[in-house]
Amino acid sequence: MKKLVTLSLAALLIAAWSASAFASEVVVYSARKEHLIKPLFKAYTNKTGTKVKYITGKAGALLERIKAEGANTPADLFLTVDAGNLWHAAEEGVLQSLDSKELTDNIPANLRDPENRWFGLSVRARTIVYNKNEVDPAELSTYEALGDEKWKGRLLLRTSKKVYNQSLVASMIAEKGEAETEAIVKSWVENLAVAPFSSDTKTLEAAIAGVGDVAVVNTYYFGRLLKKNPDLPLAIFWPNQKTTGVHMNVSGGGVTKHAKNKSEAVKLLEWLSSDEAQGKFASLNMEYPANDSVQPDPLVAAWGEFKGNPMNVAKYGEYQAAAIKLMDRAGYK
Ligand code: FE
């Protein structure tokens, strides 16, 4: 009997030892979709042996869950899309400031939180797409000019409820103040071909169908349709090249305040920002790498070079509430 006890105690000790020696792990809550992160996590586990456990869900729901779980949250790393959402998570106090030279070296200052609580990992450009059969690109110039008389009944927009448009309008408020921005948003509303759509894809499909001629969307939605149909009658236009530049947004992440595996979470975030991971992170969703030493996917690069707006994307969060109210006043549904 005594021997048996000794043996099982030894077995327990070995089990405990191997758990600590081999099974380092990190838990991720991700609003970035599973097919966009799973291949990266797999590669990371193969390389480091660190297990990556994850759940995916909507940005708002995951944030609420982290808040509700409080100090007991299993989440070490929170990944989400849109700087407005990242900013919101930081404001809610669920992320911690990181002191990582690798992250600040890899990610340009305008694509991360000034307090280093979150870091952009991919860049999405929200730009103008037009129907080539109906529009000469020489007619296009800026986001603001989509309010010109000539686009009456021809403009296609996604709903103002989507954070992407809230960020776009927030960036305009940061640049030109509320009065000027409100006049511009009103002029867009007056030019709408039909009521705003629930998704970027539906907005583009309306441009293909000729419901309207010009649309404002994120480039990767255009890329997805282009992959399915290389003969798309649509093309990308880069607006504001002589002024503020194309509106840039990010997907990104931060380490939670109550991370149980903080050092593992930091290491994973650092790796996601590295040359090794950035190409794949961006190309899986046809986005641009946040790390500017990494080239975009050839399909994405084929859309041409452009000047992006260098504004710190954290501004989109700061002006988000103002943007929502402003769009409501302007009648932008
Ligand atoms: Fe999206």
Side-chain angles (χ1 to χ4, degrees), residues 33 81 124 158 162 164 200 218 220-221 224 285:
K33 294 196 175 69
V81 295
R124 51 268 304 276
R158 183 176 186 166
K162 182 66 186 181
Y164 300 163
D200 279 25
N218 286 356
Y220 55 90
Y221 292 105
R224 280 179 207 171
N285 194 33

Side-chain angles (χ1 to χ4, degrees), residues 195-217:
F197 294 91
S198 60
S199 74
D200 279 25
T201 301
K202 283 180 184 155
T203 310
L204 286 168
E205 283 166 354
I208 295 169
V211 174
D213 300 328
V214 284
V216 177
V217 292

